[in-house]
Amino acid sequence: MTQSPPRTQSLPRRAWDWLPTTATRPIRVLAWLSFVMQVVLIATGGAVRLTASGLGCPTWPQCTAGSVTNTPELGIHGIIEFGNRMLTVLLVIVVIVVFVAMLRMWKTRRDLFVLALLQGISIPVQAVLGGLTVLSGLNPYVVGAHFVLSILLVILTTLLVYRAYRGPRGVIRTAPRWFIVTAHVTSLFVALTVIFGILTTGSGPHPGDSLDAKHLAPRNGLNSQVIQTVHSIPAYVTVALTLLLVVAAWGFARRTVTSQSTRRFTVVLLAIEAVQVVVGLVQASLGLPIALVNIHLVLAALLVAAMTALALSLRSGPAVGDLSARA
């Protein structure tokens, strides 16, 4: 009796088998791409607001009534706003690719699968908030909520990158308890700095739509000088606490802070804060030029990312790469 030839696998089955079950190099590249795209989107979103192009496309989801794309009548503001929307489409493609690439990890690396899933779920939430931003006439609180979600996605993609290199969450502390508590208190002040920064921006001279004097986006009504001072307090506390962490990690507590990643991330965090403080002071003295304000926004995202990475490094797990060397 002759044996029948083996049946070839179907295309879907071969595609499924091709997907990785561990954090391979392509997975890490995709994780980095997710992170970079979130930061870039914050930069371009800031550019839309700061160039008074927030209503460059006056409707949503279409750009203008009867047209998905911008029209010549909308001018440069329409081009800028529509370009930002197209970048969002590119982000959606990246998020879909990341999620598909991690489908087979739902058992072997469920942490990565869940992070990719959460990033995917965020897309419709972002779309709804983006639509509400336009439909509310750039209400500063809606705009602020949109930025908060963007910052949360920076945290999420930082987690994705870190876990792709360092494996699932570890259970062994890599620093003394007081150091870990100080780091988490620092993260609280980072969050307060960002929140008060959003309120400061919502009271300032960049409403996002100043095409003519009769149509200005609303402000939140807070006194800009007062809220700017309030914003600076948690910022300086953050710097002071970070200095303590750096001195402890590299000096008197070096033997008990066992993670090289932790030591490096304290320096990265302090460096970003130093640049952020300088940019903040200079932009305030120059009357908030749009270029410096946008740099300040991007630095806020990088600040949150560095703080997240530092917090993650406080517990060790089965390392599969060296993220700290790339930080």
mmCIF file with all atom_site columns, all heavy atoms in Angstrom, residues 144-158:
data_model
loop_
_atom_site.group_PDB
_atom_site.id
_atom_site.type_symbol
_atom_site.label_atom_id
_atom_site.label_alt_id
_atom_site.label_comp_id
_atom_site.label_asym_id
_atom_site.label_entity_id
_atom_site.label_seq_id
_atom_site.pdbx_PDB_ins_code
_atom_site.Cartn_x
_atom_site.Cartn_y
_atom_site.Cartn_z
_atom_site.occupancy
_atom_site.B_iso_or_equiv
_atom_site.pdbx_formal_charge
_atom_site.auth_seq_id
_atom_site.auth_comp_id
_atom_site.auth_asym_id
_atom_site.auth_atom_id
_atom_site.pdbx_PDB_model_num
ATOM 1   N N   . GLY A 1 144 ? -6.581 68.926 26.584 1.00 0.00 ? 144 GLY A N   1
ATOM 2   C CA  . GLY A 1 144 ? -5.737 68.391 27.652 1.00 0.00 ? 144 GLY A CA  1
ATOM 3   C C   . GLY A 1 144 ? -5.942 66.900 27.847 1.00 0.00 ? 144 GLY A C   1
ATOM 4   O O   . GLY A 1 144 ? -4.980 66.148 28.049 1.00 0.00 ? 144 GLY A O   1
ATOM 5   N N   . ALA A 1 145 ? -7.204 66.457 27.779 1.00 0.00 ? 145 ALA A N   1
ATOM 6   C CA  . ALA A 1 145 ? -7.495 65.023 27.902 1.00 0.00 ? 145 ALA A CA  1
ATOM 7   C C   . ALA A 1 145 ? -6.849 64.246 26.763 1.00 0.00 ? 145 ALA A C   1
ATOM 8   O O   . ALA A 1 145 ? -6.339 63.128 26.964 1.00 0.00 ? 145 ALA A O   1
ATOM 9   C CB  . ALA A 1 145 ? -9.004 64.796 27.912 1.00 0.00 ? 145 ALA A CB  1
ATOM 10  N N   . HIS A 1 146 ? -6.858 64.838 25.582 1.00 0.00 ? 146 HIS A N   1
ATOM 11  C CA  . HIS A 1 146 ? -6.221 64.199 24.418 1.00 0.00 ? 146 HIS A CA  1
ATOM 12  C C   . HIS A 1 146 ? -4.730 64.023 24.663 1.00 0.00 ? 146 HIS A C   1
ATOM 13  O O   . HIS A 1 146 ? -4.139 62.985 24.337 1.00 0.00 ? 146 HIS A O   1
ATOM 14  C CB  . HIS A 1 146 ? -6.473 65.056 23.185 1.00 0.00 ? 146 HIS A CB  1
ATOM 15  C CG  . HIS A 1 146 ? -6.341 64.314 21.902 1.00 0.00 ? 146 HIS A CG  1
ATOM 16  N ND1 . HIS A 1 146 ? -6.084 64.918 20.700 1.00 0.00 ? 146 HIS A ND1 1
ATOM 17  C CD2 . HIS A 1 146 ? -6.414 62.990 21.614 1.00 0.00 ? 146 HIS A CD2 1
ATOM 18  C CE1 . HIS A 1 146 ? -6.009 64.016 19.740 1.00 0.00 ? 146 HIS A CE1 1
ATOM 19  N NE2 . HIS A 1 146 ? -6.208 62.838 20.283 1.00 0.00 ? 146 HIS A NE2 1
ATOM 20  N N   . PHE A 1 147 ? -4.101 65.055 25.249 1.00 0.00 ? 147 PHE A N   1
ATOM 21  C CA  . PHE A 1 147 ? -2.668 64.977 25.546 1.00 0.00 ? 147 PHE A CA  1
ATOM 22  C C   . PHE A 1 147 ? -2.382 63.955 26.646 1.00 0.00 ? 147 PHE A C   1
ATOM 23  O O   . PHE A 1 147 ? -1.384 63.228 26.584 1.00 0.00 ? 147 PHE A O   1
ATOM 24  C CB  . PHE A 1 147 ? -2.141 66.352 25.950 1.00 0.00 ? 147 PHE A CB  1
ATOM 25  C CG  . PHE A 1 147 ? -0.649 66.384 26.165 1.00 0.00 ? 147 PHE A CG  1
ATOM 26  C CD1 . PHE A 1 147 ? 0.217  66.370 25.081 1.00 0.00 ? 147 PHE A CD1 1
ATOM 27  C CD2 . PHE A 1 147 ? -0.115 66.418 27.438 1.00 0.00 ? 147 PHE A CD2 1
ATOM 28  C CE1 . PHE A 1 147 ? 1.584  66.392 25.270 1.00 0.00 ? 147 PHE A CE1 1
ATOM 29  C CE2 . PHE A 1 147 ? 1.254  66.443 27.644 1.00 0.00 ? 147 PHE A CE2 1
ATOM 30  C CZ  . PHE A 1 147 ? 2.116  66.431 26.548 1.00 0.00 ? 147 PHE A CZ  1
ATOM 31  N N   . VAL A 1 148 ? -3.254 63.902 27.649 1.00 0.00 ? 148 VAL A N   1
ATOM 32  C CA  . VAL A 1 148 ? -3.069 62.912 28.722 1.00 0.00 ? 148 VAL A CA  1
ATOM 33  C C   . VAL A 1 148 ? -3.081 61.500 28.148 1.00 0.00 ? 148 VAL A C   1
ATOM 34  O O   . VAL A 1 148 ? -2.243 60.652 28.515 1.00 0.00 ? 148 VAL A O   1
ATOM 35  C CB  . VAL A 1 148 ? -4.173 63.063 29.794 1.00 0.00 ? 148 VAL A CB  1
ATOM 36  C CG1 . VAL A 1 148 ? -4.163 61.862 30.738 1.00 0.00 ? 148 VAL A CG1 1
ATOM 37  C CG2 . VAL A 1 148 ? -3.961 64.342 30.589 1.00 0.00 ? 148 VAL A CG2 1
ATOM 38  N N   . LEU A 1 149 ? -4.015 61.217 27.238 1.00 0.00 ? 149 LEU A N   1
ATOM 39  C CA  . LEU A 1 149 ? -4.061 59.901 26.617 1.00 0.00 ? 149 LEU A CA  1
ATOM 40  C C   . LEU A 1 149 ? -2.785 59.633 25.827 1.00 0.00 ? 149 LEU A C   1
ATOM 41  O O   . LEU A 1 149 ? -2.250 58.510 25.847 1.00 0.00 ? 149 LEU A O   1
ATOM 42  C CB  . LEU A 1 149 ? -5.283 59.786 25.708 1.00 0.00 ? 149 LEU A CB  1
ATOM 43  C CG  . LEU A 1 149 ? -5.468 58.438 25.002 1.00 0.00 ? 149 LEU A CG  1
ATOM 44  C CD1 . LEU A 1 149 ? -5.519 57.291 26.004 1.00 0.00 ? 149 LEU A CD1 1
ATOM 45  C CD2 . LEU A 1 149 ? -6.739 58.446 24.143 1.00 0.00 ? 149 LEU A CD2 1
ATOM 46  N N   . SER A 1 150 ? -2.262 60.649 25.149 1.00 0.00 ? 150 SER A N   1
ATOM 47  C CA  . SER A 1 150 ? -1.013 60.485 24.407 1.00 0.00 ? 150 SER A CA  1
ATOM 48  C C   . SER A 1 150 ? 0.133  60.144 25.355 1.00 0.00 ? 150 SER A C   1
ATOM 49  O O   . SER A 1 150 ? 0.983  59.301 25.046 1.00 0.00 ? 150 SER A O   1
ATOM 50  C CB  . SER A 1 150 ? -0.688 61.765 23.623 1.00 0.00 ? 150 SER A CB  1
ATOM 51  O OG  . SER A 1 150 ? -1.666 62.019 22.634 1.00 0.00 ? 150 SER A OG  1
ATOM 52  N N   . ILE A 1 151 ? 0.168  60.795 26.515 1.00 0.00 ? 151 ILE A N   1
ATOM 53  C CA  . ILE A 1 151 ? 1.206  60.506 27.508 1.00 0.00 ? 151 ILE A CA  1
ATOM 54  C C   . ILE A 1 151 ? 1.057  59.083 28.050 1.00 0.00 ? 151 ILE A C   1
ATOM 55  O O   . ILE A 1 151 ? 2.052  58.363 28.242 1.00 0.00 ? 151 ILE A O   1
ATOM 56  C CB  . ILE A 1 151 ? 1.145  61.529 28.657 1.00 0.00 ? 151 ILE A CB  1
ATOM 57  C CG1 . ILE A 1 151 ? 1.632  62.903 28.181 1.00 0.00 ? 151 ILE A CG1 1
ATOM 58  C CG2 . ILE A 1 151 ? 1.975  61.070 29.849 1.00 0.00 ? 151 ILE A CG2 1
ATOM 59  C CD1 . ILE A 1 151 ? 3.089  62.941 27.772 1.00 0.00 ? 151 ILE A CD1 1
ATOM 60  N N   . LEU A 1 152 ? -0.181 58.655 28.276 1.00 0.00 ? 152 LEU A N   1
ATOM 61  C CA  . LEU A 1 152 ? -0.410 57.278 28.730 1.00 0.00 ? 152 LEU A CA  1
ATOM 62  C C   . LEU A 1 152 ? 0.082  56.274 27.685 1.00 0.00 ? 152 LEU A C   1
ATOM 63  O O   . LEU A 1 152 ? 0.615  55.209 28.033 1.00 0.00 ? 152 LEU A O   1
ATOM 64  C CB  . LEU A 1 152 ? -1.891 57.054 29.021 1.00 0.00 ? 152 LEU A CB  1
ATOM 65  C CG  . LEU A 1 152 ? -2.457 57.804 30.241 1.00 0.00 ? 152 LEU A CG  1
ATOM 66  C CD1 . LEU A 1 152 ? -3.962 57.588 30.341 1.00 0.00 ? 152 LEU A CD1 1
ATOM 67  C CD2 . LEU A 1 152 ? -1.757 57.351 31.519 1.00 0.00 ? 152 LEU A CD2 1
ATOM 68  N N   . LEU A 1 153 ? -0.068 56.610 26.422 1.00 0.00 ? 153 LEU A N   1
ATOM 69  C CA  . LEU A 1 153 ? 0.403  55.725 25.355 1.00 0.00 ? 153 LEU A CA  1
ATOM 70  C C   . LEU A 1 153 ? 1.931  55.727 25.270 1.00 0.00 ? 153 LEU A C   1
ATOM 71  O O   . LEU A 1 153 ? 2.535  54.720 24.896 1.00 0.00 ? 153 LEU A O   1
ATOM 72  C CB  . LEU A 1 153 ? -0.210 56.136 24.019 1.00 0.00 ? 153 LEU A CB  1
ATOM 73  C CG  . LEU A 1 153 ? -1.698 55.792 23.891 1.00 0.00 ? 153 LEU A CG  1
ATOM 74  C CD1 . LEU A 1 153 ? -2.297 56.432 22.647 1.00 0.00 ? 153 LEU A CD1 1
ATOM 75  C CD2 . LEU A 1 153 ? -1.899 54.284 23.852 1.00 0.00 ? 153 LEU A CD2 1
ATOM 76  N N   . VAL A 1 154 ? 2.556  56.840 25.622 1.00 0.00 ? 154 VAL A N   1
ATOM 77  C CA  . VAL A 1 154 ? 4.022  56.858 25.724 1.00 0.00 ? 154 VAL A CA  1
ATOM 78  C C   . VAL A 1 154 ? 4.471  55.905 26.829 1.00 0.00 ? 154 VAL A C   1
ATOM 79  O O   . VAL A 1 154 ? 5.439  55.144 26.673 1.00 0.00 ? 154 VAL A O   1
ATOM 80  C CB  . VAL A 1 154 ? 4.531  58.288 25.992 1.00 0.00 ? 154 VAL A CB  1
ATOM 81  C CG1 . VAL A 1 154 ? 6.014  58.274 26.391 1.00 0.00 ? 154 VAL A CG1 1
ATOM 82  C CG2 . VAL A 1 154 ? 4.338  59.167 24.756 1.00 0.00 ? 154 VAL A CG2 1
ATOM 83  N N   . ILE A 1 155 ? 3.761  55.925 27.957 1.00 0.00 ? 155 ILE A N   1
ATOM 84  C CA  . ILE A 1 155 ? 4.071  54.993 29.050 1.00 0.00 ? 155 ILE A CA  1
ATOM 85  C C   . ILE A 1 155 ? 3.890  53.557 28.581 1.00 0.00 ? 155 ILE A C   1
ATOM 86  O O   . ILE A 1 155 ? 4.741  52.689 28.825 1.00 0.00 ? 155 ILE A O   1
ATOM 87  C CB  . ILE A 1 155 ? 3.175  55.285 30.268 1.00 0.00 ? 155 ILE A CB  1
ATOM 88  C CG1 . ILE A 1 155 ? 3.489  56.659 30.845 1.00 0.00 ? 155 ILE A CG1 1
ATOM 89  C CG2 . ILE A 1 155 ? 3.341  54.198 31.335 1.00 0.00 ? 155 ILE A CG2 1
ATOM 90  C CD1 . ILE A 1 155 ? 2.534  57.090 31.949 1.00 0.00 ? 155 ILE A CD1 1
ATOM 91  N N   . LEU A 1 156 ? 2.793  53.297 27.905 1.00 0.00 ? 156 LEU A N   1
ATOM 92  C CA  . LEU A 1 156 ? 2.490  51.940 27.448 1.00 0.00 ? 156 LEU A CA  1
ATOM 93  C C   . LEU A 1 156 ? 3.550  51.435 26.472 1.00 0.00 ? 156 LEU A C   1
ATOM 94  O O   . LEU A 1 156 ? 4.013  50.292 26.586 1.00 0.00 ? 156 LEU A O   1
ATOM 95  C CB  . LEU A 1 156 ? 1.104  51.905 26.810 1.00 0.00 ? 156 LEU A CB  1
ATOM 96  C CG  . LEU A 1 156 ? 0.525  50.534 26.446 1.00 0.00 ? 156 LEU A CG  1
ATOM 97  C CD1 . LEU A 1 156 ? -0.986 50.559 26.602 1.00 0.00 ? 156 LEU A CD1 1
ATOM 98  C CD2 . LEU A 1 156 ? 0.875  50.134 25.023 1.00 0.00 ? 156 LEU A CD2 1
ATOM 99  N N   . THR A 1 157 ? 3.954  52.275 25.515 1.00 0.00 ? 157 THR A N   1
ATOM 100 C CA  . THR A 1 157 ? 4.952  51.833 24.540 1.00 0.00 ? 157 THR A CA  1
ATOM 101 C C   . THR A 1 157 ? 6.344  51.741 25.169 1.00 0.00 ? 157 THR A C   1
ATOM 102 O O   . THR A 1 157 ? 7.158  50.936 24.729 1.00 0.00 ? 157 THR A O   1
ATOM 103 C CB  . THR A 1 157 ? 4.978  52.772 23.323 1.00 0.00 ? 157 THR A CB  1
ATOM 104 O OG1 . THR A 1 157 ? 5.098  54.133 23.753 1.00 0.00 ? 157 THR A OG1 1
ATOM 105 C CG2 . THR A 1 157 ? 3.710  52.613 22.491 1.00 0.00 ? 157 THR A CG2 1
ATOM 106 N N   . THR A 1 158 ? 6.588  52.541 26.196 1.00 0.00 ? 158 THR A N   1
ATOM 107 C CA  . THR A 1 158 ? 7.843  52.375 26.949 1.00 0.00 ? 158 THR A CA  1
ATOM 108 C C   . THR A 1 158 ? 7.863  51.014 27.626 1.00 0.00 ? 158 THR A C   1
ATOM 109 O O   . THR A 1 158 ? 8.885  50.309 27.630 1.00 0.00 ? 158 THR A O   1
ATOM 110 C CB  . THR A 1 158 ? 7.999  53.490 27.998 1.00 0.00 ? 158 THR A CB  1
ATOM 111 O OG1 . THR A 1 158 ? 7.990  54.762 27.356 1.00 0.00 ? 158 THR A OG1 1
ATOM 112 C CG2 . THR A 1 158 ? 9.305  53.340 28.758 1.00 0.00 ? 158 THR A CG2 1
#
